[in-house]
Amino acid sequence: MNRRRLTLDRRRFLTAVGATGLTMSFLRALPSYAAGTDKRYLILLFTPNGVVRHLWGADSTGTNPGDFTLRPWLAPLAPFKDKLVVIHGLANKAANGGSHGPGMVTLWTGDTITSDGTFASGISIDQAIAAQLNAGTPFPSIALRARSPLDYTAKDPQSRMIYSGPNSPVDPREDVLAALSDLFVGIPAAGSTTPPPVDPAITRRDEIRKRLYGRLDAELGRINPKLCSDDQHQLEALREGWAALTASLGRSGPGTGAISTCSQPAGLTGSTDYRTTIKENIDLLVMALACDLTRVASLQFSAARSPMVFDWLGHTLDHHSISHTAPQPSSLGPNLNMGQSDPEHPTADQLATYAVPIQQMTDINLFYAQQVAYLAQQLAAFQVDSTTTLLDQCIICWGNELDNGSNHDHFAMPFVLIGGGNGHLKTNQLVEFPLADPYKPLSNAQYAHNDLLVTLAQAMGVTSITTFGDASLNRGAITSILA
Amino acid sequence: MQKLSHQLVLWLGVAGAAACAAGAGDPPPDRRLKNAGTPVADDGTRGVSLLDLGAQFASQGKCDTAVTGRTPLRRISRIEYNNAVRDLFGDNSHPADSFVAEEIVAGYNSNSVTPVSQLDNQQYLEAAETIAQNVVKNFAAISGCTGTSDAACSDAYLKRIARRAYHGTLPDAEAQTLLDDVHATATAIDVDAGIQLGIESILLSPRFLYIVEFGDGTTTIVPLTPSELAGRLAASLWRSIPDDALLAAADADQLGTSDQVTQQAHRMLADSRAAPMLADFVDQWLGIKTADALLKDATTFPNFTTGVRASVAAEPAAFFTRAVTSDAKLDELFTSTTTYGDQNLATFYGGKLATDGSIALPTERVGLLTEAAFLASQAHPVLASPVLRGKLIRVQMLCDPVQPPPPDVNQKVDSPTGTQTTGDVFLAHAKDPFCAGCHQYMDPIGYGFNQFDATGAFIGSKGGSNAGEVVAPAAVDAPDVTGKFNGPGELASRLAGSQLVKQCYTMQSLRYALGRSEVTADACSANDAWQHFVKSGFDVKEAIVGIVTSDSFRYRANGTPGGACQ
């Protein structure tokens, strides 16, 4: 086992960002300003295996806001063009030249990793925001993953993007029916406005739970002092988990900022069919936000290096394999370090050579873009007031573990923001960061995606986060995005 | 910033061939690491070189006092949870199947690195509540007491199952607080609620969810207490909790000697509870995927139906369990001409199913390596993969880790065209000196299986030549496996006769049984286990018996309370 020895434990790390496991639980009872009228939601969205650069993103057509056209892979988002920020040219320097796993664990943490096969060495931005936000919602954050039986099951760096601290992945919920029963307690069934009656069995269960928590805490207290520090660290996580469960005792009903029509999501089947589970995860997520169950959420489609086979699109190879058959910068010149080719402008010859994989990558990524559009559409269907929809209150940040899928690049990461952050996000724009030298991305000239993570915190109203992840990669929030 | 080098562990899953080219001037990666006892892989494993080191230590008298690497606090895995509630309550509902999956440590599932997550906690809570409700509902039948109101009987019952659930150890003080809380709850709510709380407390206790050990004594290296050793034996040999016989042996101080442990291990391996452990081990050792994950392209392979996949996926466990219980030697795993399965499997192989469930294999198949589950797991949805098959054999059978390619590798993947076979396409690896630096260790072994498609079906010469080669391992000297071969049969014979394969199997058993990577301090134990395996004539089950009787299994390295763990 070469997993890096941790020098910071979870608690110290959370303290560094202004909270502890304990305050996270206790302070949730104290709604802060964020629970007031200026309500904002963050959704970190993930799709895997990188892009074919010239087909992803947007092209500038002028200097005014909105002067850009979407490239083919983002076409499904056209109805929401005025709510988009398309970002070109941010490097994931924290991935440190690694591949899928390193791209995944650094995507939302921005902490430089020094070895492949390891989990993140720091907290992810959503968890840091949730800890600071103290929104008073029933859940500090909700992490979801749409997974098919073809997908990876192991708890490993490729399948984990959310972290509560160093080496501490947050396991996403993969079962929509279990999520439904855990999250939507005391919330009216679909189509109803009346909360379900209080079940005496639940009252009894909670009485037993209360006694249980007391015992387990005492039992942990008898074991832990006898252990050495690494082992103590393990049981401390167990104690924090119990503290959070204790805090949730008796919790029922929506959050204070819920939209009046909020209910349980309708028609969930728990099917593991990939298309169905994606839709059901989105339906669940949208209702969770409409019910103000949390302000901070994440939704992961499959995993880094996704092995999904899109057979309904006529594919026989899996997504990861296809991604490596698409054109790559290094195939465009004799030496990939020489910068002799430009992934943004492939030649006609290259396009002809790679026509089939390019089309397949396009099929897959259009499918994912359609799912993102469905999420936006469902959020937009909730009217908060006469001029604002739930989408307007959201900041969806859509990312990927790679830039060019074929070559495991992290030079110009594909990021799109969708929503409005309740007026705190300047949308309808293409933001382009210069690629000073596309093959020397670690040069100082290029901006790192850490700045985007800070921008997300600022847009969510967590102004105390001014740097994030590896401090040496930060230059500050991207002010052109903030309103 | 230190740039990652040679770290693209995950690159190997690329389908099809990779005509890869390096950055100009980059040398092939040097992967020769033959220093005894030093890590040979990114995950810190030492491999078979640890056996040489152990022999060296033994000759220097360094193994005369007990020595072991540290076993970190480990949270039980899903299979252990399922088996524990089966053994405690007769609950066969496999509640842990929906739990979060484990991390993989040294190639095997083991929750010993990342801390428990919030979702884990919630799942534990909900499972405990459901199981406890069922126990309360059927309390008389499960506990043997007349009912939940028979306090004396139910107290004794709770203490009995608590000790088993806590992997053998129930301190008196813990028993007392458990019963006190059960009684208090019975008074405050009702007796059913008291039992409910008792069962939930047991299933949520850190003493159940983790293997908590302190050992006997205050020195750095201490023997496990007999009860702790009983817990470890049950966890490793049954992937479950101790039974009453094992605890009785612990209480009678009959687990103190190596011979006594051997005796218990033999009893346990002969018990039906060993079968799930054997299945768990062989599936992880061979990288066998679940029936669901063996899904292949339906257009290309219309006959590889859900039913066939299920039968195929079940074969390695059936074959291996049968081999172990019939005292098979390791070489027979490679050379057996009989397997075990159902009619689906027999039809898929073109073999005949006998009434005892055995299937005589057709001539093109022999032993583990031509099992369709193995061949299909190490393949893509359409294409077979010499890379994956070769890599699995090299890493798991030869303990010769393959370094991942460097980050700057250019991968251009093509499907076979015209009369090309998959193997033809993969030959590209061999042409490029940079790729060949690593791929020489994998692809040529995989070529030997070219006549089996992505589902593991035999396609004969349509798949091209089955000429393969085992390039000399990088990590160790092993002339007995090295050289060209023709097809799986010849490779199987060679592996069957190889000392390296036998030594590697010892190391795999060690990793699985301890749930961690081997470290230098395990050298004496690894060598002892190896000597035991040799003495048994390489009886498959004796590899793991050799581990559980070794110091690394029977002792623990304690850290300072609150201080460093080492």
Side-chain angles (χ1 to χ4, degrees), chain B residues 24-227:
Chain B
D26 288 347
D30 178 11
R31 48 188 304 283
R32 303 220 150 230
L33 291 162
K34 292 194 179 181
N35 294 331
T38 58
V40 294
D42 285 350
D43 64 1
T45 51
R46 265 72 172 167
V48 298
S49 70
L50 200 65
L51 302 177
D52 296 339
L53 188 68
Q56 201 180 309
F57 283 175
S59 69
Q60 295 164 345
K62 289 184 183 169
C63 300
D64 295 347
T65 49
V67 57
T68 174
R70 184 180 112 78
T71 296
L73 186 68
R74 180 174 72 80
R75 192 157 48 85
I76 60 172
S77 55
R78 290 168 297 169
I79 183 178
E80 288 169 320
Y81 192 103
N82 284 336
N83 290 343
V85 299
R86 176 203 66 199
D87 292 347
L88 287 170
F89 310 118
D91 185 321
N92 284 303
S93 65
H94 290 207
D97 285 0
S98 60
F99 289 3
V100 177
E102 295 77 20
E103 306 153 44
I104 296 169
V105 176
Y108 298 92
N109 292 343
S110 178
N111 290 315
S112 57
V113 178
T114 66
V116 65
S117 76
Q118 198 55 20
L119 186 58
D120 290 319
N121 261 321
Q122 181 127 22
Q123 290 172 336
Y124 288 147
L125 174 63
E126 287 166 7
E129 286 176 341
T130 305
I131 294 162
Q133 272 164 16
N134 289 334
V135 174
V136 170
K137 212 178 290 168
N138 306 299
F139 191 67
I142 292 172
S143 69
C145 301
T146 53
T148 50
S149 51
D150 182 350
C153 182
S154 62
D155 282 3
Y157 168 72
L158 287 173
K159 273 173 74 169
R160 198 164 69 241
I161 61 163
R163 180 175 178 199
R164 291 180 63 200
Y166 296 174
H167 309 284
T169 307
L170 177 66
D172 290 343
E174 291 298 337
Q176 197 51 55
T177 64
L178 174 67
L179 296 183
D180 287 349
D181 288 341
V182 167
H183 298 156
T185 305
T187 308
I189 308 175
D190 54 43
V191 285
D192 281 7
I195 302 294
Q196 176 87 21
L197 176 103
I199 304 288
E200 288 180 22
S201 296
I202 291 166
L203 293 177
L204 292 167
S205 168
R207 290 176 182 275
F208 170 60
L209 294 174
Y210 294 79
I211 313 279
V212 176
E213 297 162 343
F214 301 106
D216 185 7
T218 52
T219 51
T220 313
I221 305 291
V222 291
L224 295 178
T225 67
S227 297

Side-chain angles (χ1 to χ4, degrees), chain A residues 1 96 116 171 182 228 328, chain B residues 2 7 43 117 126 411 565:
Chain A
M1 206 166 47
N96 207 1
D116 208 334
D171 293 324
D182 289 346
C228 59
Q328 51 199 318
Chain B
Q2 182 202 350
Q7 294 288 1
D43 64 1
S117 76
E126 287 166 7
Q411 304 146 35
C565 300

